[in-house]
């Protein structure tokens, strides 16, 4: 099951638009050096989360990954809200 949730969140006095993307799969294995999960797939390059993190950070945001073995994964994307 895939779930997408959007909301606003204030952190350290700054307002962020947040997007949570969750699944009920097997979870992710963590890689030690980079801090991003290691790919266990035979196809692909395992660059999806790396590229996502770079895009989010280049826009002043950050991402969080919450994953437990066999209980699914949630990726939280936080984008700063720009005031006019």
């Amino acid at each position: 099951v895939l779930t997408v949730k959007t909301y606003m969140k204030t952190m350290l006095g700054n307002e962020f638009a947040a997007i949570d993307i969750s699944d009920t799969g097997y979870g992710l294995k963590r890689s030690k050096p980079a801090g991003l999960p290691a790919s266990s797939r035979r196809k692909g390059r395992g660059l999806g989360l790396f590229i996502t993190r770079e895009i989010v950070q280049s826009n002043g945001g950050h991402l969080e990954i919450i994953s437990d073995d066999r209980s699914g994964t949630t990726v939280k994307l936080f984008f700063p809200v720009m005031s006019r």
Side-chain angles (χ1 to χ4, degrees), residues 36-39 43-55:
L36 286 176
S39 177
K43 293 182 180 180
R45 302 279 184 236
L47 295 174
L49 282 174
F50 174 78
I51 293 168
T52 301
R53 181 183 67 177
E54 293 300 307
I55 291 169

Side-chain angles (χ1 to χ4, degrees), residues 6-39:
T6 61
Y7 56 97
M8 300 297 290
K9 184 169 183 171
T10 302
M11 294 183 289
L12 301 171
N14 297 316
E15 193 76 17
F16 289 86
I19 305 167
D20 290 1
I21 303 167
S22 303
D23 70 26
T24 56
Y26 291 105
L28 295 172
K29 294 180 181 180
R30 299 292 275 175
S31 64
K32 294 180 183 176
L36 286 176
S39 177

